[in-house]
Amino acid sequence: MLLRPRRARGLLDGIPRRGPAAVPGLPAACDRAPADGDALAAYAGMLARGVRPDAYTFPPLLKAVARRGGPAAASSSAPAAVHAHVVKFGLGRGAHAASALVAAYAAGGDGAAARAALLDGRGTPAAWNALISGHCRGKRFGDSRRAFVDMVRAGAAPTPVTYVSVLSACGKGRDLLLGVQVHKRVVESGVLPDLKVESALVGMYAECADMDSAWRLFEDMEVKNVVSWTSLVSGLARLGLVDRARELFDGMPERDAVSWTAMIDGYVQAARFREALGMFREMQYSNVRADEFTMVSVITACAQLGALEIGEWARVYMSRQGIRMDVFVGNALIDMYSKCGSVERALDVFNGMHSRDKFTWTAIILGLAVNGYGEEAIDMFHRMIRVSEAPDEVTFIGVLTACTHAGLVDKGQEFFHSMTESYKIAPNVVHYGCIVDLLGRAGKITESLETIDQMPMTPNSTILGTLLAACRVHGNSEIGELVAERILALDPENSTAYILLSNIYAKANRWEDVRQLRQAIMEKGIKKEPGCSLIEMNGMIHEFVAGDRYHPMSNEIYSKLENIIADLKNIGYFPDVTEVFVEVTEEEKQKVIYWHSEKLAIAFALLSSEPNTVIRIVKNLRMCLDCHNAIKLISRLYGREVIVRDRTRFHHFRDGLCSCKDYW
DNA sequence: CTAGGGTTAG
């Protein structure tokens, strides 16, 4: 029985008929990177010239539309539209077209149509392979594995291609049990030695975190290639063993873009962002061309470091090198610009994107929200719903954060309830954390505490910390004490709890309590995480730790800082030492706050950057009251916009004011 | 129909 395509017309809807690019038989005949519609445009050109498609026409065309639809566009009718043409030209029973159709339907998420096309292609091993690999491409690894089981049951003989595809699905779906069974079949089947199958086995074990088996197989391979090496490298990196991955990487006989990217991303996953960028630099020296995968990891590293200049450079590099800006890259760029405090550029990327997915919308909503554009973020959410992109749990983190920033308490609670009622998304502890933050910011400390006590999961130290921070801002020491106790019961080493509680006592002038806290922390040997600020200058990342003298310009920086403080005092600055946590004399306390890492970074920026440029700092901890006050004044006095990315939020200082409205 | 690398929160 022939499958009846759901939509017979419209394959060429909206595809411009190009001139030279649409040469029959030369669908790839364009000198730039292929845009999504090029294969279709070439096909259009072919038809326009009256060239009849044959068995070789549709597989590449189907590959292109499957890529265009992708896993996100499960309802995409593009494969069906191509299917109509296949039938129209009488190629419906050809093995090539049938397999390509199976793969395209499966990749697009239409399992039923894929199975029907499989029968159409008479269930040949190639068609089964297409089903297995198509599901795998569409990231439905369970369907892929089931297809393999069904293939065996149907009596079709697995080929090396089958093993390669199903092993990939076992690895990505972390199904070691089936993986081992397939391994046995592979051994019994006599297809070994086979480089691709063996590599797939190594990859499967590596992805399932069974490095011993992966390693044994790898060592037994008579012929290895860059793929088998890379599987091991990324397997180690995934387990957090970046240094071991690096050793292996350094010993590789050859490296391609995939192996470099695996290594770069390994550093990113290990939060070693500067080493990630260092690797990217080495990659360029080694003359291996980066691609869009590489750039996503590089841009992600820039995002985490707040390295806007390098990020911008990466974007220029891409256009110079002709690296396609796909959705992944676009999404990573939106996130990078947002995390660098540049909402304008994030919006530029967003507006320029040809296709957007759930991640795109979530990234821009979060970007607007954390940068203080709450209302705009909520507008974006409504736009997202209007274009029928389904939000997920992370999207709602963005939406709730937006409400917190805009002070929209009722609206935030409405969104929170809509999660379960309208979107069938169960709130997790992070969502409850947003509500705690929302209520806390509004000063509703009691309700905030009630939220924690009534939520269906056990409160962790993070959510209690959010409440404790609210207690600090609103000077609520009664609830603050209780909350701090609860945090320390869960996590006795939590220095943040001690510090926030100490800040609460200090604000209430309870100096004896502050002293006792300090003593307690000393006796228990709890270390406060040192404050650290990053700032990018001329493509270099400079790091400052409170009071450090490691920077080559240290002397200049400290004397600049003295001048700045003198200038500030002239316009009414008075150092606020209430939040100093170390037990020293009053005079030394002033030094301690003057030498906070963000102040050092600002002094360095005022020495080294062009006048009127924005100063961007990334800080690992929460800012103290004194730094917040001082930077407000600095922004006014020197006419500089200062953006500090805190552990929890952004502070855009401008003209003596901060976007956080003094709540953080 | 074919093995390895990519994006959002905490």
Side-chain angles (χ1 to χ4, degrees), chain A residues 238-251:
Chain A
R238 229 189 329 270
L239 289 171
L241 306 167
V242 222
D243 294 310
R244 286 198 52 202
R246 177 62 187 272
E247 281 170 33
L248 200 65
F249 179 86
D250 286 340

mmCIF file with all atom_site columns, all heavy atoms in Angstrom, chain A residues 238-251:
data_model
loop_
_atom_site.group_PDB
_atom_site.id
_atom_site.type_symbol
_atom_site.label_atom_id
_atom_site.label_alt_id
_atom_site.label_comp_id
_atom_site.label_asym_id
_atom_site.label_entity_id
_atom_site.label_seq_id
_atom_site.pdbx_PDB_ins_code
_atom_site.Cartn_x
_atom_site.Cartn_y
_atom_site.Cartn_z
_atom_site.occupancy
_atom_site.B_iso_or_equiv
_atom_site.pdbx_formal_charge
_atom_site.auth_seq_id
_atom_site.auth_comp_id
_atom_site.auth_asym_id
_atom_site.auth_atom_id
_atom_site.pdbx_PDB_model_num
ATOM 1   N N   . ARG A 1 238 ? 33.377 14.245 29.490 1.00 0.00 ? 238 ARG A N   1
ATOM 2   C CA  . ARG A 1 238 ? 32.017 14.209 30.025 1.00 0.00 ? 238 ARG A CA  1
ATOM 3   C C   . ARG A 1 238 ? 32.009 13.781 31.487 1.00 0.00 ? 238 ARG A C   1
ATOM 4   O O   . ARG A 1 238 ? 31.162 14.194 32.263 1.00 0.00 ? 238 ARG A O   1
ATOM 5   C CB  . ARG A 1 238 ? 31.157 13.244 29.203 1.00 0.00 ? 238 ARG A CB  1
ATOM 6   C CG  . ARG A 1 238 ? 29.838 13.832 28.779 1.00 0.00 ? 238 ARG A CG  1
ATOM 7   C CD  . ARG A 1 238 ? 28.913 12.803 28.162 1.00 0.00 ? 238 ARG A CD  1
ATOM 8   N NE  . ARG A 1 238 ? 29.604 11.749 27.454 1.00 0.00 ? 238 ARG A NE  1
ATOM 9   C CZ  . ARG A 1 238 ? 29.916 11.782 26.161 1.00 0.00 ? 238 ARG A CZ  1
ATOM 10  N NH1 . ARG A 1 238 ? 29.593 12.815 25.440 1.00 0.00 ? 238 ARG A NH1 1
ATOM 11  N NH2 . ARG A 1 238 ? 30.558 10.775 25.600 1.00 0.00 ? 238 ARG A NH2 1
ATOM 12  N N   . LEU A 1 239 ? 32.955 12.929 31.856 1.00 0.00 ? 239 LEU A N   1
ATOM 13  C CA  . LEU A 1 239 ? 33.025 12.470 33.243 1.00 0.00 ? 239 LEU A CA  1
ATOM 14  C C   . LEU A 1 239 ? 33.757 13.469 34.137 1.00 0.00 ? 239 LEU A C   1
ATOM 15  O O   . LEU A 1 239 ? 34.012 13.202 35.303 1.00 0.00 ? 239 LEU A O   1
ATOM 16  C CB  . LEU A 1 239 ? 33.733 11.109 33.298 1.00 0.00 ? 239 LEU A CB  1
ATOM 17  C CG  . LEU A 1 239 ? 32.923 9.938  32.734 1.00 0.00 ? 239 LEU A CG  1
ATOM 18  C CD1 . LEU A 1 239 ? 33.781 8.691  32.628 1.00 0.00 ? 239 LEU A CD1 1
ATOM 19  C CD2 . LEU A 1 239 ? 31.709 9.664  33.614 1.00 0.00 ? 239 LEU A CD2 1
ATOM 20  N N   . GLY A 1 240 ? 34.105 14.611 33.563 1.00 0.00 ? 240 GLY A N   1
ATOM 21  C CA  . GLY A 1 240 ? 34.784 15.631 34.359 1.00 0.00 ? 240 GLY A CA  1
ATOM 22  C C   . GLY A 1 240 ? 36.290 15.430 34.415 1.00 0.00 ? 240 GLY A C   1
ATOM 23  O O   . GLY A 1 240 ? 36.986 16.165 35.104 1.00 0.00 ? 240 GLY A O   1
ATOM 24  N N   . LEU A 1 241 ? 36.795 14.431 33.699 1.00 0.00 ? 241 LEU A N   1
ATOM 25  C CA  . LEU A 1 241 ? 38.234 14.151 33.719 1.00 0.00 ? 241 LEU A CA  1
ATOM 26  C C   . LEU A 1 241 ? 38.921 14.896 32.570 1.00 0.00 ? 241 LEU A C   1
ATOM 27  O O   . LEU A 1 241 ? 39.517 14.290 31.687 1.00 0.00 ? 241 LEU A O   1
ATOM 28  C CB  . LEU A 1 241 ? 38.476 12.639 33.599 1.00 0.00 ? 241 LEU A CB  1
ATOM 29  C CG  . LEU A 1 241 ? 37.739 11.784 34.640 1.00 0.00 ? 241 LEU A CG  1
ATOM 30  C CD1 . LEU A 1 241 ? 37.761 10.314 34.274 1.00 0.00 ? 241 LEU A CD1 1
ATOM 31  C CD2 . LEU A 1 241 ? 38.366 12.001 36.022 1.00 0.00 ? 241 LEU A CD2 1
ATOM 32  N N   . VAL A 1 242 ? 38.808 16.223 32.605 1.00 0.00 ? 242 VAL A N   1
ATOM 33  C CA  . VAL A 1 242 ? 39.330 17.034 31.502 1.00 0.00 ? 242 VAL A CA  1
ATOM 34  C C   . VAL A 1 242 ? 40.824 16.899 31.328 1.00 0.00 ? 242 VAL A C   1
ATOM 35  O O   . VAL A 1 242 ? 41.323 16.914 30.213 1.00 0.00 ? 242 VAL A O   1
ATOM 36  C CB  . VAL A 1 242 ? 39.060 18.546 31.684 1.00 0.00 ? 242 VAL A CB  1
ATOM 37  C CG1 . VAL A 1 242 ? 38.636 19.173 30.394 1.00 0.00 ? 242 VAL A CG1 1
ATOM 38  C CG2 . VAL A 1 242 ? 38.107 18.804 32.800 1.00 0.00 ? 242 VAL A CG2 1
ATOM 39  N N   . ASP A 1 243 ? 41.536 16.819 32.444 1.00 0.00 ? 243 ASP A N   1
ATOM 40  C CA  . ASP A 1 243 ? 42.987 16.755 32.322 1.00 0.00 ? 243 ASP A CA  1
ATOM 41  C C   . ASP A 1 243 ? 43.434 15.451 31.666 1.00 0.00 ? 243 ASP A C   1
ATOM 42  O O   . ASP A 1 243 ? 44.349 15.448 30.850 1.00 0.00 ? 243 ASP A O   1
ATOM 43  C CB  . ASP A 1 243 ? 43.638 16.949 33.689 1.00 0.00 ? 243 ASP A CB  1
ATOM 44  C CG  . ASP A 1 243 ? 43.376 18.355 34.222 1.00 0.00 ? 243 ASP A CG  1
ATOM 45  O OD1 . ASP A 1 243 ? 43.617 19.324 33.466 1.00 0.00 ? 243 ASP A OD1 1
ATOM 46  O OD2 . ASP A 1 243 ? 42.894 18.494 35.357 1.00 0.00 ? 243 ASP A OD2 1
ATOM 47  N N   . ARG A 1 244 ? 42.729 14.360 32.023 1.00 0.00 ? 244 ARG A N   1
ATOM 48  C CA  . ARG A 1 244 ? 43.040 13.097 31.344 1.00 0.00 ? 244 ARG A CA  1
ATOM 49  C C   . ARG A 1 244 ? 42.636 13.168 29.878 1.00 0.00 ? 244 ARG A C   1
ATOM 50  O O   . ARG A 1 244 ? 43.338 12.654 28.999 1.00 0.00 ? 244 ARG A O   1
ATOM 51  C CB  . ARG A 1 244 ? 42.337 11.934 32.030 1.00 0.00 ? 244 ARG A CB  1
ATOM 52  C CG  . ARG A 1 244 ? 43.001 11.572 33.355 1.00 0.00 ? 244 ARG A CG  1
ATOM 53  C CD  . ARG A 1 244 ? 42.610 10.184 33.803 1.00 0.00 ? 244 ARG A CD  1
ATOM 54  N NE  . ARG A 1 244 ? 42.835 9.189  32.767 1.00 0.00 ? 244 ARG A NE  1
ATOM 55  C CZ  . ARG A 1 244 ? 42.220 8.010  32.719 1.00 0.00 ? 244 ARG A CZ  1
ATOM 56  N NH1 . ARG A 1 244 ? 41.339 7.692  33.636 1.00 0.00 ? 244 ARG A NH1 1
ATOM 57  N NH2 . ARG A 1 244 ? 42.479 7.159  31.739 1.00 0.00 ? 244 ARG A NH2 1
ATOM 58  N N   . ALA A 1 245 ? 41.525 13.819 29.608 1.00 0.00 ? 245 ALA A N   1
ATOM 59  C CA  . ALA A 1 245 ? 41.091 13.994 28.217 1.00 0.00 ? 245 ALA A CA  1
ATOM 60  C C   . ALA A 1 245 ? 42.164 14.757 27.439 1.00 0.00 ? 245 ALA A C   1
ATOM 61  O O   . ALA A 1 245 ? 42.501 14.417 26.305 1.00 0.00 ? 245 ALA A O   1
ATOM 62  C CB  . ALA A 1 245 ? 39.756 14.738 28.166 1.00 0.00 ? 245 ALA A CB  1
ATOM 63  N N   . ARG A 1 246 ? 42.715 15.770 28.099 1.00 0.00 ? 246 ARG A N   1
ATOM 64  C CA  . ARG A 1 246 ? 43.715 16.598 27.448 1.00 0.00 ? 246 ARG A CA  1
ATOM 65  C C   . ARG A 1 246 ? 44.981 15.800 27.127 1.00 0.00 ? 246 ARG A C   1
ATOM 66  O O   . ARG A 1 246 ? 45.567 15.930 26.046 1.00 0.00 ? 246 ARG A O   1
ATOM 67  C CB  . ARG A 1 246 ? 44.040 17.802 28.336 1.00 0.00 ? 246 ARG A CB  1
ATOM 68  C CG  . ARG A 1 246 ? 45.128 18.702 27.802 1.00 0.00 ? 246 ARG A CG  1
ATOM 69  C CD  . ARG A 1 246 ? 44.726 19.313 26.460 1.00 0.00 ? 246 ARG A CD  1
ATOM 70  N NE  . ARG A 1 246 ? 45.818 20.046 25.880 1.00 0.00 ? 246 ARG A NE  1
ATOM 71  C CZ  . ARG A 1 246 ? 46.070 21.322 26.132 1.00 0.00 ? 246 ARG A CZ  1
ATOM 72  N NH1 . ARG A 1 246 ? 45.290 21.999 26.956 1.00 0.00 ? 246 ARG A NH1 1
ATOM 73  N NH2 . ARG A 1 246 ? 47.079 21.927 25.565 1.00 0.00 ? 246 ARG A NH2 1
ATOM 74  N N   . GLU A 1 247 ? 45.392 14.944 28.074 1.00 0.00 ? 247 GLU A N   1
ATOM 75  C CA  . GLU A 1 247 ? 46.567 14.109 27.819 1.00 0.00 ? 247 GLU A CA  1
ATOM 76  C C   . GLU A 1 247 ? 46.358 13.246 26.579 1.00 0.00 ? 247 GLU A C   1
ATOM 77  O O   . GLU A 1 247 ? 47.226 13.145 25.716 1.00 0.00 ? 247 GLU A O   1
ATOM 78  C CB  . GLU A 1 247 ? 46.836 13.181 29.013 1.00 0.00 ? 247 GLU A CB  1
ATOM 79  C CG  . GLU A 1 247 ? 47.535 13.851 30.175 1.00 0.00 ? 247 GLU A CG  1
ATOM 80  C CD  . GLU A 1 247 ? 47.550 12.943 31.399 1.00 0.00 ? 247 GLU A CD  1
ATOM 81  O OE1 . GLU A 1 247 ? 47.620 11.707 31.224 1.00 0.00 ? 247 GLU A OE1 1
ATOM 82  O OE2 . GLU A 1 247 ? 47.464 13.480 32.523 1.00 0.00 ? 247 GLU A OE2 1
ATOM 83  N N   . LEU A 1 248 ? 45.166 12.658 26.524 1.00 0.00 ? 248 LEU A N   1
ATOM 84  C CA  . LEU A 1 248 ? 44.852 11.794 25.397 1.00 0.00 ? 248 LEU A CA  1
ATOM 85  C C   . LEU A 1 248 ? 44.826 12.616 24.100 1.00 0.00 ? 248 LEU A C   1
ATOM 86  O O   . LEU A 1 248 ? 45.372 12.229 23.075 1.00 0.00 ? 248 LEU A O   1
ATOM 87  C CB  . LEU A 1 248 ? 43.485 11.151 25.638 1.00 0.00 ? 248 LEU A CB  1
ATOM 88  C CG  . LEU A 1 248 ? 43.176 9.895  24.860 1.00 0.00 ? 248 LEU A CG  1
ATOM 89  C CD1 . LEU A 1 248 ? 44.107 8.778  25.288 1.00 0.00 ? 248 LEU A CD1 1
ATOM 90  C CD2 . LEU A 1 248 ? 41.730 9.483  25.087 1.00 0.00 ? 248 LEU A CD2 1
ATOM 91  N N   . PHE A 1 249 ? 44.194 13.783 24.198 1.00 0.00 ? 249 PHE A N   1
ATOM 92  C CA  . PHE A 1 249 ? 44.091 14.687 23.058 1.00 0.00 ? 249 PHE A CA  1
ATOM 93  C C   . PHE A 1 249 ? 45.476 15.047 22.535 1.00 0.00 ? 249 PHE A C   1
ATOM 94  O O   . PHE A 1 249 ? 45.729 15.025 21.329 1.00 0.00 ? 249 PHE A O   1
ATOM 95  C CB  . PHE A 1 249 ? 43.329 15.941 23.492 1.00 0.00 ? 249 PHE A CB  1
ATOM 96  C CG  . PHE A 1 249 ? 43.165 16.971 22.410 1.00 0.00 ? 249 PHE A CG  1
ATOM 97  C CD1 . PHE A 1 249 ? 42.107 16.897 21.521 1.00 0.00 ? 249 PHE A CD1 1
ATOM 98  C CD2 . PHE A 1 249 ? 44.074 18.021 22.287 1.00 0.00 ? 249 PHE A CD2 1
ATOM 99  C CE1 . PHE A 1 249 ? 41.952 17.852 20.530 1.00 0.00 ? 249 PHE A CE1 1
ATOM 100 C CE2 . PHE A 1 249 ? 43.922 18.976 21.288 1.00 0.00 ? 249 PHE A CE2 1
ATOM 101 C CZ  . PHE A 1 249 ? 42.854 18.889 20.409 1.00 0.00 ? 249 PHE A CZ  1
ATOM 102 N N   . ASP A 1 250 ? 46.388 15.356 23.465 1.00 0.00 ? 250 ASP A N   1
ATOM 103 C CA  . ASP A 1 250 ? 47.737 15.721 23.057 1.00 0.00 ? 250 ASP A CA  1
ATOM 104 C C   . ASP A 1 250 ? 48.466 14.566 22.383 1.00 0.00 ? 250 ASP A C   1
ATOM 105 O O   . ASP A 1 250 ? 49.364 14.788 21.582 1.00 0.00 ? 250 ASP A O   1
ATOM 106 C CB  . ASP A 1 250 ? 48.539 16.218 24.274 1.00 0.00 ? 250 ASP A CB  1
ATOM 107 C CG  . ASP A 1 250 ? 48.094 17.608 24.708 1.00 0.00 ? 250 ASP A CG  1
ATOM 108 O OD1 . ASP A 1 250 ? 47.480 18.317 23.887 1.00 0.00 ? 250 ASP A OD1 1
ATOM 109 O OD2 . ASP A 1 250 ? 48.339 17.981 25.874 1.00 0.00 ? 250 ASP A OD2 1
ATOM 110 N N   . GLY A 1 251 ? 48.051 13.333 22.715 1.00 0.00 ? 251 GLY A N   1
ATOM 111 C CA  . GLY A 1 251 ? 48.699 12.181 22.107 1.00 0.00 ? 251 GLY A CA  1
ATOM 112 C C   . GLY A 1 251 ? 48.050 11.707 20.817 1.00 0.00 ? 251 GLY A C   1
ATOM 113 O O   . GLY A 1 251 ? 48.493 10.707 20.240 1.00 0.00 ? 251 GLY A O   1
#
